Amino acid sequence: MGLITGVCTFLYHLPQIYKWLLKPYYITSFFMTVAFLVVRKAPGLCEHLATQREDGNSCDFDWRELEILMFLSAIVMMKNRRAITLEQHIGNFFLFSKVANVILFFRLDIRLGILYLALCVAFVMTCKPPLYMGPEYIKYFSDKTIDEELQRDSRVTWIVEFYANWSSECQSFAPVFADLSLKYNCAGLRFGKVDIGRYGEVSERYKVSTSPLAKQLPSLLLFQGGRELMRRPMVDNKGRAVSWTFNEENIIREFNLNELFQKSKKLNKSRSLKGEEQNGFQPEEGADELPEDTDAPQQPTESKKDQ
């Protein structure tokens, strides 16, 4: 039953996956991933390659190459246990496949190894993973606007992601944070992001390190009235982030999003009643019930940051 459900889910999202995989980054990554397989199996080329097989068949994998591929499979499965999104699963597969290909090509022929390594370096320097550009209700801050927005209304709770565009973890987390903003954004609970890779002063002010060794990216901070209430991941005395999984379930539980969202509906109600009193309207019978539309997230007044 679980297998059938997984197949149905895959088929349902197939058009989206197909459109997503057609991006140049993933197309190039795919060809670089299968490069050694193509070289080893290509007729007319594989006959001229070296092999350690006893039968001398150079068009098939030898025992050492099979060991490397099996080790690669084990590493990918271990890394994907903590992966959240499809992008992370595929990204881990592409990354470790390229590492394995470098080793395999150097074993096969040092010239092929140098060539493949040069292609990998060129790929990393010229081709970046595509940024998430889907729907979201998120306010993008700069170094000049973040303090003003967080302190503007003490009744509003902010969940702010501190990220950097160069961080693959931040790019993988982007669709998760966007989905949470679509579900929970309202008048009393807002979502924001600030690029501390671009605004270093913000990084120092809020004590979120951009160092890859600190592993603090991304960081989620909860604010009310401009005051920080909590953050994830937490940071130890050495300035390193305590291991924490950035998935939707953990964020909802740790930040009490359901409770915060229920409180924010009371803020919506109080604002609407106050507006009616100022305009001279008397609340009708049953007006103490919140309209159905207030459960839906507010339409964002700000445009999405130009990535």
Side-chain angles (χ1 to χ4, degrees):
M1 187 64 183
L3 179 61
I4 296 176
T5 303
V7 172
C8 293
T9 303
F10 175 79
L11 293 177
Y12 176 78
H13 293 285
L14 186 59
Q16 180 181 0
I17 296 174
Y18 179 75
K19 181 179 179 181
W20 172 67
L21 289 176
L22 284 180
K23 295 181 179 179
Y25 174 84
Y26 295 107
I27 294 176
T28 308
S29 294
F30 173 77
F31 283 114
M32 295 188 67
T33 298
V34 300
F36 184 81
L37 176 63
V38 171
V39 170
R40 177 57 87 180
K41 295 290 186 178
L45 178 61
C46 62
E47 291 85 355
H48 305 285
L49 302 177
T51 183
Q52 295 182 3
R53 290 177 60 91
E54 295 180 357
D55 58 3
N57 183 9
S58 60
C59 292
D60 203 355
F61 299 113
D62 59 41
W63 64 274
R64 181 65 69 182
E65 292 169 348
L66 290 175
E67 283 186 346
I68 294 174
L69 293 175
M70 291 178 65
F71 181 72
L72 164 68
S73 302
I75 293 295
V76 171
M77 286 190 293
M78 291 177 59
K79 293 293 292 185
N80 280 343
R81 289 177 61 184
R82 299 188 61 184
I84 304 171
T85 62
L86 179 64
E87 291 90 338
Q88 287 179 309
H89 285 280
I90 296 180
N92 287 334
F93 176 73
F94 284 156
L95 173 62
F96 291 102
S97 295
K98 292 169 188 172
V99 174
N101 279 342
V102 170
I103 300 174
L104 292 170
F105 273 119
F106 269 104
R107 271 193 80 251
L108 186 63
D109 190 319
I110 189 172
R111 294 169 297 180
L112 293 177
I114 294 174
L115 176 60
Y116 186 82
L117 183 60
L119 290 175
C120 289
V121 173
F123 173 79
V124 171
M125 295 180 62
T126 60
C127 198
K128 301 297 182 181
L131 297 175
Y132 176 80
M133 298 299 290
E136 60 183 21
Y137 292 136
I138 296 175
K139 173 75 175 181
Y140 284 83
F141 299 125
S142 68
D143 56 342
K144 299 179 180 179
T145 62
I146 182 170
D147 293 335
E148 178 184 353
E149 288 289 344
L150 295 180
Q151 299 174 9
R152 176 171 296 179
D153 191 340
S154 61
R155 298 172 298 175
V156 176
T157 301
W158 283 92
I159 299 178
V160 182
E161 178 193 353
F162 289 71
Y163 75 103
N165 277 330
W166 51 261
S167 171
S168 59
E169 289 82 4
C170 295
Q171 294 172 5
S172 300
F173 179 64
V176 178
F177 194 63
D179 187 55
L180 288 171
S181 72
L182 294 174
K183 294 178 180 178
Y184 291 97
N185 182 79
C186 57
L189 180 59
R190 303 293 305 278
F191 290 77
K193 295 180 73 170
V194 58
D195 184 359
I196 58 175
R198 179 179 180 183
Y199 304 112
E201 296 179 0
V202 178
S203 171
E204 297 177 1
R205 193 184 314 159
Y206 290 93
K207 299 179 181 179
V208 180
S209 174
T210 57
S211 171
L213 298 178
K215 297 183 179 180
Q216 295 185 28
L217 294 178
S219 283
L220 288 182
L221 277 68
L222 183 70
F223 294 95
Q224 190 161 23
R227 185 169 61 92
E228 178 185 336
L229 301 181
M230 65 175 295
R231 71 168 61 194
R232 290 294 184 273
M234 295 185 292
V235 181
D236 59 20
N237 295 331
K238 296 181 179 180
R240 294 182 180 179
V242 179
S243 180
W244 195 72
T245 303
F246 278 90
N247 57 34
E248 188 170 317
E249 293 77 11
N250 282 351
I251 295 171
I252 293 173
R253 181 180 64 254
E254 293 287 331
F255 288 87
N256 294 322
L257 288 187
N258 291 321
E259 181 180 348
L260 289 174
F261 185 67
Q262 293 300 324
K263 290 181 179 179
S264 70
K265 291 196 295 186
K266 297 180 180 179
L267 178 60
N268 285 341
K269 177 181 176 180
S270 63
R271 285 182 173 180
S272 61
L273 291 178
K274 184 177 180 180
E276 291 179 357
E277 291 176 358
Q278 291 178 349
N279 293 330
F281 293 108
Q282 295 294 330
E284 300 178 358
E285 183 179 357
D288 55 340
E289 298 180 358
L290 191 66
E292 295 181 358
D293 292 342
T294 56
D295 286 345
Q298 281 190 332
Q299 293 294 329
T301 56
E302 65 277 350
S303 61
K304 187 171 182 181
K305 177 179 174 290
D306 184 7
Q307 299 285 3

